[in-house]
Amino acid sequence: MKTHTKKPFNPVALWTSPSIVMLLCLTIVPLLMLLVFSFMDRNIFAGQPWPGWTLDNIIRMVGSDTFWRLLGKSLLTAAEVTLLCIVAAYPAAWAIAKVVKPQNRSIFMMVVILPFFTSQLLLIYAMMNLIQSGGLLLTMLEAIGIQGETWLYTNKATILVLTYEYLPYMILCLYSSLEGIEDNLIYASLILGASKGKTFTNIVFPMSLPGLLSGILLVFVPVAGSFMEPGLVGGANGAMVGSMIDTQYSGSLNMGYGAALSCTLLIVLSVIMGLTRLAAARAEKTIGGDME
Amino acid sequence: MKFNASKKIMSAALAAVMMLGLCSCGGGAETTEDPATDSSKPYAGHTLYVANWQGYNSDEDYCEKAFEDATGCTVEHVYFNSYEELMTTLMTGGNQTIDAVVLSNNYTQWFHEEGLIMNVDPALIPNYELVADVYKDLAPYAVDEEGNLFAFPWCNGTSSIAYNPDYVDFEIEHWTDLLDPRLTGHVMVLNGDGDDWVIGCLLAGEDSDDIENADIEKVRTALMELKGQLLGFWASNDEQIMPWLAGDFWAGEIWSGPYSELINNPNTNIKLVHPEEGTVGYIDYWSIVEGTDEFDLACEWINWIESTEQQTAMATGISEVYPGEYFTYTPVNADAINNLSDEQKVALQLDPMPTTIKLLPYIADPDLKDQWTDLYQEFVS
């Protein structure tokens, strides 16, 4: 039975107010501005101090085949990348959390975050060099008698590069969850006769769900909005919805239309993330009971 | 204990990531060097703020530092990533610091109409007389209906067709040759609205100089046909050179910079074509920002940058005072053009000479621009 006790006001809490104000200014206000701009005619910075209100941006967006096609493609790409990251990150995070000796974990964590030490653009260029025709990967495959074709300038290349870029986020999130699972729990499950698979599905997976959800959030959302990677490695059909939004801001200076597209993407992503969280909560209860 | 160790590791990892993030957000440290004090230099102690693309000639030592040596002023470059970004900067107060800007021909008119750049008496820029007639007093790009001059040509370029004879065993003479099935999957063009509109018009037989009356549906059909041929789009020098050298990019639009690099590369082959129906072209201008408090110095800068000496250094990449490896750009100064060697003309896409240049178009009507932007978006998606 929960009891609610009124906590006395702690003046130290005032120290958090600058952070709260900053967060409000950097998140809530820009989001509200985005929403307002969606109903603006063109751009407040393009010679029209107060351009006026319009629904044209929404109408234009609803009627744009290109936008809906790119939105669908972006969500599918984000789902694929997220899935690949989960599959690749679970064993890696498990190995670092449970197999590697505690004193060596920092070295492995450093390896995981090493890509953050360089520019994202350089990482993409490095990957392009690796997979292009005559690149290291195809040359090595040829050396062992396997003839391959380059993936560069295809959607596969976009997925590969995005997975490479966002994998560390998933590993970090999963590691934090997996590391918190007591070894005794796993031993108890095994001693009581549960198979390794059953132990994973009933103990490890439900307890790692918070980390997994964080990982999904950190991977799915930015991947769905990415535009640099598809532009560089995706080829003629590589563009995603982020590319279209980018064009409105950097190409045609139509801030209103760009904001309408951004808001729609934001709403769609929020709904997907909300549903994912609901599904995860239900799965948590069904598989392993309420962990809260 | 183990839990504490884990927390330490996670904390260290997250701290490292956050530190890196914060470091990348920060700007460069400001220096507090004393202003020049040489009284023989007319602009000692003055600072000229010029806006340009990063790495685009004017921030090279042979230009920036040489001008500082000559005048005693300090030149500060403000970099932008798009003209829209530059316009936003100027409209939100950037014109209180930025004195001169680089603008392409399809943006000069827009900036002038918005009152962001000012009319300048050509008598204040004596070297303007040396500009080749073909680039001088071009309306509507540099001169308004009342004859006011507001933009000074600096350099120009063409994005013509190049192909690799090692992979292409037939002559490419026209833009429509890029639709040949033998090139499927190996054609690249620039990811840029202006270039793609011009190419679409050239493929469809429409006049990009009168784009407001061009048949957009015919252009759409032509661009969609071209899309089926594409390997991808490029947006920078590297994105042209890398696939070319890898043997993936066989034919398509190319800038003069990568062309000059590839023609001098012994490991590849390249042939340039200027189709008779037209070559995509641009002229980049310098303009003075309305409201500048360094008007005289800005005029001095433009005069300097249009001098035969500077234009020759820009075209050849050779500087005696500040030697280095520099990209080369096509000059507008008539003497500088005439002094180029045959090899240098080839490298600057001036040999063969283009017969018809189709400049990037400017669409004034916002609704019409939206239609063309949608078409561009469809093409690159």
Side-chain angles (χ1 to χ4, degrees):
Chain A
M1 184 180 161
K2 287 181 179 176
T3 54
H4 294 280
T5 52
K6 196 175 181 183
K7 288 182 182 174
F9 175 71
N10 184 356
V12 178
L14 284 174
W15 287 103
T16 61
S17 52
S19 305
I20 291 168
V21 170
M22 197 173 78
L23 278 172
L24 277 173
C25 291
L26 295 179
T27 53
I28 306 298
V29 173
L31 286 176
L32 286 174
M33 284 170 71
L34 204 62
L35 190 65
V36 171
F37 288 162
S38 302
F39 297 97
M40 274 189 172
D41 182 10
R42 307 199 70 75
N43 189 343
I44 57 165
F45 296 133
Q48 296 165 302
W50 194 255
W53 304 105
T54 180
L55 285 173
D56 287 354
N57 297 323
I58 309 296
I59 294 165
R60 187 179 169 200
M61 181 192 71
V62 170
S64 168
D65 293 340
T66 308
F67 172 68
W68 296 109
R69 184 166 52 82
L70 291 182
L71 181 63
K73 184 187 166 189
S74 301
L75 295 177
L76 187 66
T77 303
E80 287 170 339
V81 170
T82 308
L83 195 65
L84 283 171
C85 282
I86 292 170
V87 170
Y90 248 115
W94 179 263
I96 298 171
K98 298 294 176 192
V99 180
V100 173
K101 289 179 182 171
Q103 62 267 31
N104 294 332
R105 281 178 196 160
S106 56
I107 299 169
F108 283 86
M109 291 307 288
M110 188 54 77
V111 172
V112 170
I113 64 165
L114 205 57
F116 293 126
F117 282 73
T118 189
S119 136
Q120 216 170 0
L121 193 61
L122 282 179
L123 293 177
I124 299 169
Y125 271 101
M127 192 57 90
M128 286 172 76
N129 270 301
L130 201 66
I131 62 174
Q132 71 178 359
S133 299
L136 188 65
L137 186 67
L138 288 181
T139 308
M140 283 170 65
L141 285 174
E142 271 178 31
I144 58 171
I146 301 171
Q147 293 294 327
E149 271 193 20
T150 178
W151 278 8
L152 199 54
Y153 309 114
T154 64
N155 282 329
K156 286 179 199 165
T158 305
I159 291 169
L160 181 70
V161 170
L162 287 168
T163 305
Y164 169 58
E165 280 185 87
Y166 287 95
L167 185 61
Y169 293 99
M170 187 64 85
I171 293 177
L172 285 173
C173 292
L174 283 175
Y175 170 79
S176 66
S177 280
L178 293 175
E179 215 287 329
I181 301 173
E182 288 293 335
D183 292 346
N184 291 341
L185 267 177
I186 297 164
Y187 295 145
S189 170
L190 294 171
I191 289 165
L192 290 171
S195 64
K196 285 183 178 175
K198 195 86 174 165
T199 303
F200 177 78
T201 53
N202 281 20
I203 306 289
V204 176
F205 181 70
M207 293 189 76
S208 64
L209 267 178
L212 182 64
L213 272 178
S214 306
I216 290 173
L217 191 74
L218 284 178
V219 174
F220 188 90
V221 174
V223 167
S226 60
F227 61 94
M228 190 167 64
E229 296 82 355
L232 284 169
V233 304
N237 296 300
M240 287 169 49
V241 72
S243 319
M244 189 170 179
I245 295 170
D246 175 55
T247 300
Q248 304 313 318
Y249 285 95
S250 67
S252 58
L253 198 61
N254 193 339
M255 187 184 277
Y257 189 44
L261 301 181
S262 304
C263 275
T264 307
L265 177 64
L266 192 72
I267 291 166
V268 169
L269 288 176
S270 302
V271 169
I272 291 173
M273 284 297 110
L275 290 174
T276 307
R277 190 160 184 81
L278 276 176
R282 179 166 286 189
E284 209 172 41
K285 280 187 177 174
T286 309
I287 301 169
D290 191 356
M291 302 310 299
E292 295 294 333
Chain B
M1 285 296 286
K2 196 174 72 174
F3 184 64
N4 285 339
S6 148
K7 282 208 315 194
K8 279 180 185 170
I9 292 168
M10 281 304 294
S11 306
L14 287 171
V17 171
M18 288 177 73
M19 285 287 283
L20 283 167
L22 286 171
C23 287
S24 65
C25 290
E30 288 189 14
T31 54
T32 53
E33 285 175 11
D34 290 336
T37 52
D38 187 348
S39 57
S40 68
K41 303 289 175 65
Y43 292 99
H46 290 244
T47 301
L48 182 74
Y49 291 91
V50 296
N52 193 0
W53 306 88
Q54 188 161 18
Y56 190 22
N57 178 258
S58 68
D59 56 0
E60 301 286 10
D61 286 352
Y62 71 81
C63 185
E64 184 187 272
K65 286 208 184 309
F67 182 71
E68 289 176 345
D69 295 344
T71 61
C73 78
T74 302
V75 178
E76 292 283 351
H77 271 81
V78 179
Y79 298 115
F80 54 83
N81 296 301
S82 69
Y83 287 121
E84 286 72 17
E85 180 190 323
L86 175 63
M87 175 173 269
T88 305
T89 304
L90 294 181
M91 284 187 158
T92 53
N95 55 343
Q96 287 170 8
T97 51
I98 298 172
D99 303 301
V101 292
V102 164
L103 293 170
S104 288
N105 63 273
N106 50 332
Y107 285 89
T108 46
Q109 208 180 334
W110 191 17
F111 276 64
H112 185 250
E113 283 169 4
E114 297 296 343
L116 298 173
I117 54 177
M118 60 194 297
N119 300 328
V120 178
D121 181 355
L124 297 172
I125 317 283
N127 286 332
Y128 185 60
E129 281 297 311
L130 303 176
V131 172
D133 289 342
V134 69
Y135 303 118
K136 205 187 284 180
D137 299 334
L138 284 182
Y141 307 108
V143 180
D144 65 16
E145 288 173 350
E146 287 149 14
N148 298 309
L149 182 67
F150 55 85
F152 293 85
W154 171 43
C155 63
N156 71 103
T158 51
S159 307
S160 209
I161 300 176
Y163 66 97
N164 189 336
D166 293 342
Y167 298 101
V168 183
D169 58 3
F170 61 97
E171 293 281 318
I172 292 180
E173 295 176 338
H174 303 286
W175 288 96
T176 47
D177 291 336
L178 295 178
L179 304 176
D180 190 295
R182 286 170 287 184
L183 298 177
T184 303
H186 295 285
V187 176
M188 293 187 88
V189 294
L190 171 66
N191 186 350
D193 50 7
D195 280 58
D196 295 341
W197 294 335
V198 174
I199 292 172
C201 286
L202 288 166
L203 284 169
E206 295 292 309
D207 184 6
S208 60
D209 290 337
D210 186 22
I211 199 163
E212 300 197 350
N213 292 311
D215 185 339
I216 193 168
E217 286 311 316
K218 276 179 76 177
V219 176
R220 183 190 310 278
T221 306
L223 283 178
M224 290 308 127
E225 198 178 349
L226 177 63
K227 188 178 169 69
Q229 294 289 95
L230 294 182
L231 169 71
F233 298 93
W234 53 259
S236 68
N237 289 352
D238 286 343
E239 290 168 38
Q240 296 161 78
I241 293 167
M242 272 175 60
W244 189 280
L245 292 176
D248 294 325
F249 176 16
W250 293 357
E253 188 188 12
I254 199 159
W255 274 339
S256 57
Y259 170 68
S260 71
E261 193 165 327
L262 290 168
I263 202 168
N264 292 315
N265 189 322
N267 299 319
T268 190
N269 207 348
I270 187 165
K271 191 168 179 184
L272 184 76
V273 183
H274 289 303
E276 62 182 11
E277 63 269 27
T279 294
V280 186
Y282 67 88
I283 299 174
D284 279 348
Y285 291 87
W286 277 96
S287 293
I288 298 178
V289 175
E290 187 73 53
T292 174
D293 52 3
E294 288 288 359
F295 177 76
D296 292 343
L297 185 54
C299 288
E300 197 70 40
W301 167 259
I302 293 176
N303 194 48
W304 162 266
I305 224 158
E306 300 220 308
S307 66
T308 305
E309 181 195 357
Q310 268 304 304
Q311 290 270 307
T312 303
M314 181 179 77
T316 60
I318 300 167
S319 167
E320 286 181 11
V321 184
Y322 290 102
E325 286 192 12
Y326 301 112
F327 272 114
T328 55
Y329 303 94
T330 312
V332 295
N333 180 299
D335 292 340
I337 295 170
N338 292 334
N339 292 338
L340 291 173
S341 68
D342 290 343
E343 273 185 5
Q344 287 162 343
K345 283 180 180 169
V346 168
L348 293 169
Q349 294 196 353
L350 292 172
D351 185 16
M353 280 291 286
T355 49
T356 310
I357 295 179
K358 295 286 184 185
L359 289 177
L360 301 180
Y362 166 69
I363 304 173
D365 178 2
D367 293 331
L368 192 66
K369 190 176 180 188
D370 284 346
Q371 288 178 34
W372 282 90
T373 303
D374 284 346
L375 170 60
Y376 158 70
Q377 198 66 62
E378 195 181 332
F379 177 54
V380 298
S381 302

